[in-house]
């Protein structure tokens, strides 16, 4: 029996867009924009770190929307979509935790500033995502697992919003830069490289999301499929 998880034409469209643009966006961030003199070459991490951080914040929001639809409709497919989104969110969040301290150490001489609300709130978000997967593995009864997971997804979304707002709503005494969309703006070369990176890493998110969802959906179908007798 053949099961179609999603229409293959979207895989071709998304795959071609990703292969055509993502390498360009990465190379653009590495070689095109001028660096900030105070930070030196480490400033180029910015074109990886910030776009990846954006995806790490958007992912829990997508997951929470799917989770709320699951709580409303009770359809397993929405739980699977939420589950897959959180997987990719955690992956990107780990990327932020690795790239951020490297950038901070070479730019400001310290890998982590414990006085910065943005850093602490993001770390709480990572702990929330880890807790999501731990609880999901600990709960055996399927219906309870999906409901608990849905509420934890909503909690992760709240943490993502607070992390996004920490740099805008809280006076940070640390070294963490202000919002890139703030009053100062960016030079044209930086702006082009930054927005190219944002688009490129969002395409990476979508590619990974479709791949992971396909695997999770296949696993879910196998779990729900009755055993066939010979």
């Amino acid at each position: 029996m053949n099961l179609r998880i999603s229409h293959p034409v979207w895989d071709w469209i998304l795959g071609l867009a990703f292969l055509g643009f993502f390498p360009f966006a990465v190379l653009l961030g590495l070689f095109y924009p001028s660096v900030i003199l105070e930070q030196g070459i480490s400033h180029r991490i910015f074109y990886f770190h910030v776009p990846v951080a954006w995806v790490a914040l958007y992912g829990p929001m997508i997951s929470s929307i799917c989770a709320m639809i699951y709580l409303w409709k009770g359809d397993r497919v929405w739980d699977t979509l939420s589950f897959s989104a959180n997987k990719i969110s955690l992956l990107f969040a780990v990327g932020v935790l690795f790239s951020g301290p490297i950038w901070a150490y070479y730019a400001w001489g310290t890998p982590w500033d414990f006085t910065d609300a943005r850093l602490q709130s993001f770390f709480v978000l990572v702990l929330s995502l880890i807790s999501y997967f731990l609880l999901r593995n600990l709960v055996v009864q399927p219906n309870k697992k999906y409901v608990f997971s849905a509420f934890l997804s909503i909690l992760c979304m709240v943490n993502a919003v607070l992390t996004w707002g920490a740099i805008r709503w809280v006076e940070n005494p640390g070294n963490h830069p202000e919002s890139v969309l703030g009053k100062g703006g960016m030079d044209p070369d930086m702006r082009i490289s930054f927005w190219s990176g944002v688009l490129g890493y969002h395409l990476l998110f979508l590619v990974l999301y479709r791949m992971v969802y396909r695997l999770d959906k296949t696993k879910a179908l196998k779990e729900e499929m009755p055993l066939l007798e010979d």
Side-chain angles (χ1 to χ4, degrees):
M1 180 175 61
N2 295 324
L3 295 174
R4 175 177 289 182
I5 305 301
S6 59
H7 201 289
V9 69
W10 293 111
D11 293 327
W12 281 102
I13 293 174
L14 186 58
L16 290 174
F18 171 76
L19 292 175
F21 189 79
F22 183 76
F24 165 77
V26 172
L27 293 175
L28 194 70
L30 287 175
F31 298 107
Y32 174 60
S34 303
V35 298
I36 297 177
L37 295 179
E38 293 82 358
Q39 299 182 17
I41 198 68
S42 65
H43 171 69
R44 298 200 186 278
I45 299 178
F46 165 81
Y47 302 100
F48 167 84
H49 176 75
V50 178
V52 169
W54 279 26
V55 176
L57 295 179
Y58 294 157
M61 297 181 187
I62 296 173
S63 175
S64 67
I65 292 172
C66 295
M68 287 185 282
I69 296 176
Y70 170 77
L71 292 175
W72 174 36
K73 292 190 172 182
D75 190 342
R76 173 74 188 278
V77 67
W78 294 104
D79 169 76
T80 306
L81 284 166
S82 177
F83 181 49
S84 301
N86 276 334
K87 283 185 176 181
I88 309 303
S89 300
L90 181 58
L91 175 65
F92 276 75
V94 171
V96 174
L97 288 184
F98 273 96
S99 61
I102 295 174
W103 179 19
Y105 179 77
Y106 285 100
W108 301 293
T110 178
W112 193 271
D113 189 345
F114 289 94
T115 65
D116 196 299
R118 179 69 172 268
L119 300 182
Q120 310 315 317
S121 59
F122 190 86
F123 186 66
V124 171
L125 171 62
V126 174
L127 293 179
S128 300
L129 289 168
I130 294 174
S131 300
Y132 169 90
F133 292 106
L134 288 176
L135 180 63
R136 191 176 178 92
N137 289 328
L138 289 174
V139 179
V140 178
Q141 210 281 331
N143 290 333
K144 289 183 179 180
K145 175 189 295 188
Y146 306 147
V147 171
F148 291 161
S149 297
F151 282 108
L152 271 180
S153 292
I154 296 172
L155 176 62
C156 290
M157 179 270 294
V158 173
N159 287 334
V161 173
L162 292 177
T163 300
W164 177 86
I167 198 172
R168 297 165 175 82
W169 305 331
V170 179
E171 186 68 27
N172 288 292
N175 293 315
H176 197 287
E178 296 181 356
S179 170
V180 296
L181 302 179
K183 297 179 181 179
M186 293 181 285
D187 292 336
D189 56 341
M190 296 176 62
R191 187 184 307 111
I192 293 172
S193 301
F194 171 72
W195 287 110
S196 297
V198 169
L199 177 58
Y201 285 102
H202 277 72
L203 286 173
L204 176 60
F205 170 81
L206 291 175
V207 168
L208 293 175
Y209 192 16
R210 287 184 67 83
M211 292 174 60
V212 172
Y213 170 70
R214 181 176 285 105
L215 293 173
D216 290 337
K217 180 62 175 177
T218 302
K219 183 178 179 181
L221 289 172
K222 288 181 178 179
E223 293 174 353
E224 296 174 356
M225 188 178 299
L227 295 176
L228 299 178
E229 297 181 357
D230 295 335

